[in-house]
Amino acid sequence: MKVAGWPALAALFLAALLLVGCSGMLQPSLPSLPSPPSLPSSVPPPPLPQSASASATPPASTLPAEQAADLPPPPPREFRAAWVATVANIDWPSKPGLSSEQQRKEAALILNRAQAIGLNALILQVRPAGDALYPSSLEPWSETLSGEQGRPPGIAGEPAYDPLAFWVAEAHRRGIELHAWFNPYRARATSAKSPLAAPHIGVRQPALVKRYGDQLWMDPGEPAAAAHTLAVVADVVRRYDVDGVHIDDYFYPYPVSVPPVGGVDLPFPDDESYARYKLGGGAQRRDDWRRGNVDSLVQQLYRTVHEIKPWVRVGISPFGIGKPERRPAGITGFSQYDKLYADVEGWLAKGWLDYLAPQLYWPIDREGQRFGLLLDTWVAENTLRRHMWPGLFTSMVTRGEALGPRSWPAREIISQVQQQRQRGEKAGGHIHFSMVALMQDRDGIASQLQAGPYAMQALVPATPWLDDQPQPQPAPGLRRNGDRVTIEPGAGKPAARWAVWRRQAGVWRFAVLPAGQRQFDSGGADLLAVSAVDRVGNQGAQTILKLP
C-alpha cells in the first residue's frame, strides 16, 4: 500500500487507510458525477503542456494564412492517473469473497468514474505480496479476491475469470491506459489473514523470505529472490497488453522500531546473504551492498520489460524526499537512501525508468516538506528528462471531518495540480493515491477536477526515447454520414487511440477516442481534425474535414 511506506507519517495515516479498505470503497450509493459530455467543455481549462510530437501535417508557419487558420492547436498532454490498491481491499474489490460478476461490476464502476472524471490511466496493484490478481504458475491467487490465498476468485459454479485481463480490456475500451503495479519484495502484508499457499515463494523457497516485524520480506540480497520477481514481471508483460509496469517505494522494508515510539530500529535479517557475498570476495560495506542489490533489480527490470515489449513504460513511485546531501535548504525528513537503500537520484541519472512518481504526500505549505520545493528538487535531478509525474495524497481529502493535518480540503489537491502544471513539460502529470477518494467524491474533489483541471481531455505525454517515429502515412480517412463521422484507419501500425479536434464558432475543442471507437458525432462543428496516436504517444498526420 502506498501510504504505509513512509514512517514519519505512517502512525497517523495507516489506521485510516486500513479502515477504508476494510469498510470497502464501493458503497450502496455512490455520489453521482455528471455524465462525460460528448464534447469537452468550452470553458478554457488551466493551461496544459502542448504536444511537440512530429506530424506529417505541415506547420502553420509554412501554409498560406487562410489554410493555417484551419489547423488546430497541438493537443494537450498530461498524465492523469490514479492508483487502484488491492492490498487490504483499499480500492478493489470492496471485500474478499465476492462473486466474479460482482468484482467485474465494481471494476466497471471504477473505470466508468475514471473516464467520467477525465483520467487517462489507472495503475492497478496486481502483486501485493508475492501473490497474483491473475492466473499464474509462479505465484498463488491473492487473498484480496477470495479471502484465501491460492483460491481463485468467484463463487462455486461460476466460470473461471481473469481479473487482470478484464481490467486491461475494459480500460482500453474506454481509452484508458492500464499499468500493472508490482511490490517487488514484500511477501506477506500486515493485513494478511490466510496462510501462505503454493506456489508462493515462502512455501517453495522459504530460505529466501525473512520475517521483519509483522510482515514477510523477500531478501533483496538473495539473487534467486530478485530473479523470481523479474520472472513474475516478465510473465505479465508477455501475457497481457499492459501499457506500463510500475513499482512503488517498498525496497528494503521501512524500519520497525522496538518499542514503536522512541525505540531502536530492528536490523533487517540478511546476515546469511551478506556473509555469502563476503565469502565470495565482496568488499562493499553492508549499506552499499544493499543499495547495489536494489540498483541491480531496477536496472534488470527496465531492461527485461523493454526486451519483451519496447513500448511498455516502466515507472517507479518512491518516497518523496531524496538524499540528505542533495536536499535544498528547508527540506527535512526520512532518508530512503539510508533506510530503504533506494538511490533514486542514481536511477534517474542512468535512465533506468521512463517515469518517476515521487510520493509528495504533504500539503503545499507543510514546513520541511513543501510541495513545490520538493517537486522542483526532483525536476532538477531529472537531467535525462524522463517523465516526472508526482504522486498526490488525494485520500487525505476530508470525508466530512473537521479540516486538519489528516483531513484536507479538496482545494489542496487542485492547488497541487496547478503547481505541477506551472512546471510545464518538466512535470507533465500526476497520480492520485488513491481511487477511493475519487469514487467517494470527497469534498467534491472528483467533480471539481472534472469541471476544472480536467475539463478538456488530454493525451498521455509521448515517450520519445522509446520510439520517436510518428504514425506512418497515410493519415486516417474520414467519411461523413449526416452528423456521424467514421474514421477509416490508414495503413501501418494500428492506432492506440484517436486525437480528435472539433471547431465550432471559431473555438477548437479536443477529445481522445479509444482505438476501437471509429465513429463519433460531429457535434455541430464546421471543421474536424483527426489523427492516430500510437502506444507511446506519437501522433500521426492529421486528416482535416470541412463540414458544410
Side-chain angles (χ1 to χ4, degrees):
M1 163 179 15
K2 305 295 296 177
V3 164
W6 34 293
L9 298 175
L12 294 176
F13 303 139
L14 180 55
L17 278 177
L18 288 177
L19 178 60
V20 170
C22 294
S23 62
M25 180 184 68
L26 301 171
Q27 304 300 321
S29 177
L30 283 171
S32 60
L33 287 174
S35 298
S38 57
L39 291 173
S41 169
S42 60
V43 178
L48 283 170
Q50 300 295 306
S51 168
S53 297
S55 171
T57 305
S61 60
T62 66
L63 295 173
E66 64 274 10
Q67 294 183 38
D70 287 343
L71 288 181
R77 299 264 185 173
E78 185 172 57
F79 191 71
R80 302 171 181 169
W83 282 289
V84 180
T86 58
V87 66
N89 300 97
I90 290 175
D91 288 304
W92 179 85
S94 62
K95 61 182 180 180
L98 297 176
S99 68
S100 299
E101 180 182 8
Q102 187 59 34
Q103 289 182 15
R104 286 192 293 266
K105 285 181 178 178
E106 291 188 351
L109 283 174
I110 293 173
L111 289 158
N112 289 342
R113 176 60 58 92
Q115 182 182 28
I117 294 169
L119 300 183
N120 51 29
L122 291 174
I123 301 172
L124 176 68
Q125 190 177 32
V126 301
R127 190 209 198 198
D131 50 2
L133 273 84
Y134 55 91
S136 171
S137 62
L138 300 175
E139 297 191 309
W141 283 104
S142 173
E143 72 170 42
T144 63
L145 296 171
S146 67
E148 178 184 340
Q149 188 173 102
R151 183 156 64 89
I155 57 177
E158 285 189 310
Y161 111 98
D162 183 337
L164 179 53
F166 178 85
W167 273 92
V168 170
E170 291 300 305
H172 289 174
R173 192 167 68 84
R174 292 165 174 82
I176 295 172
E177 291 191 355
L178 199 287
H179 294 221
W181 164 18
F182 300 82
N183 288 86
Y185 295 116
R186 186 169 61 192
R188 182 175 174 84
T190 301
S191 58
K193 302 291 192 301
S194 64
L196 299 182
H200 192 281
I201 190 171
V203 174
R204 290 189 298 106
Q205 296 177 284
L208 304 181
V209 176
K210 309 298 181 183
R211 179 168 294 279
Y212 188 73
D214 57 3
Q215 300 188 74
L216 295 179
W217 216 261
M218 299 175 213
D219 183 355
E222 293 284 0
H228 175 69
T229 289
L230 292 170
V232 168
V233 173
D235 178 54
V236 168
V237 174
R238 287 191 185 98
R239 293 167 52 203
Y240 295 92
D241 191 22
V242 296
D243 300 283
V245 163
H246 185 96
I247 58 175
D248 59 16
D249 54 325
Y250 285 131
F251 300 106
Y252 279 81
Y254 282 84
V256 173
S257 296
V258 179
V261 179
V264 177
D265 291 348
L266 288 176
F268 184 75
D270 57 0
D271 288 347
E272 291 183 17
S273 52
Y274 184 60
R276 197 179 311 119
Y277 161 79
K278 296 285 282 187
L279 286 172
Q284 288 183 315
R285 296 182 308 111
R286 190 178 302 216
D287 285 2
D288 294 328
W289 169 74
R290 286 174 172 173
R291 273 186 289 272
N293 294 331
V294 179
D295 286 351
S296 177
L297 178 79
V298 171
Q299 182 183 23
Q300 291 182 73
L301 177 73
Y302 191 71
R303 183 173 63 244
T304 297
V305 169
H306 290 138
E307 285 176 351
I308 299 169
K309 291 180 180 175
W311 61 87
V312 173
R313 281 144 294 159
V314 175
I316 303 178
S317 58
F319 182 75
I321 303 176
K323 291 181 184 178
E325 64 269 24
R326 299 177 80 122
R327 299 174 189 173
I331 294 297
T332 61
F334 178 79
S335 172
Q336 62 183 328
Y337 180 82
D338 296 298
K339 298 294 186 179
L340 307 183
Y341 306 99
D343 183 9
V344 182
E345 291 90 344
W347 308 338
L348 264 177
K350 295 178 177 72
W352 292 347
L353 49 85
D354 297 311
Y355 66 92
L356 190 76
Q359 298 172 27
L360 304 189
Y361 287 173
W362 301 273
I364 285 174
D365 60 357
R366 171 68 175 264
E367 192 65 34
Q369 297 90 35
R370 294 186 184 277
F371 181 89
L373 185 56
L374 282 171
L375 180 55
D376 287 338
T377 302
W378 286 113
V379 166
E381 293 285 352
N382 188 20
T383 56
L384 292 183
R385 299 294 296 272
R386 295 308 201 226
H387 295 305
M388 185 66 62
W389 301 330
L392 312 181
F393 201 178
T394 308
S395 286
M396 289 301 287
V397 171
T398 179
R399 287 174 286 181
E401 311 94 330
L403 298 181
R406 290 181 290 165
S407 185
W408 303 351
R411 66 176 177 271
E412 172 67 38
I413 300 300
I414 301 297
S415 296
Q416 291 183 6
V417 171
Q418 291 171 343
Q419 287 211 4
Q420 166 250 306
R421 287 185 173 185
Q422 289 169 4
R423 276 70 182 171
E425 292 184 353
K426 293 179 180 179
H430 51 268
I431 310 173
H432 299 278
F433 185 86
S434 65
M435 194 64 199
V436 60
L438 301 176
M439 293 299 293
Q440 296 174 347
D441 199 17
R442 296 180 186 173
D443 197 33
I445 180 60
S447 299
Q448 292 181 49
L449 287 167
Q450 181 185 25
Y454 298 170
M456 182 176 287
Q457 294 181 21
L459 292 172
V460 170
T463 308
W465 54 90
L466 295 184
D467 177 4
D468 62 357
Q469 298 303 306
Q471 289 284 111
Q473 292 196 54
L478 296 179
R479 180 165 44 85
R480 176 173 169 263
N481 183 7
D483 289 335
R484 299 296 290 170
V485 178
T486 300
I487 302 172
E488 297 176 334
K493 58 183 176 181
R497 53 196 52 84
W498 305 104
V500 178
W501 280 104
R502 300 171 174 92
R503 190 183 70 181
Q504 185 176 19
V507 177
W508 285 102
R509 292 180 290 173
F510 182 69
V512 181
L513 302 182
Q517 182 179 341
R518 296 181 182 174
Q519 288 192 334
F520 62 93
D521 196 307
S522 61
D526 65 358
L527 196 64
L528 301 174
V530 177
S531 59
V533 181
D534 69 14
R535 294 298 296 265
V536 295
N538 294 308
Q539 183 186 4
Q542 289 180 326
T543 298
I544 308 293
L545 177 64
K546 288 189 175 183
L547 301 177

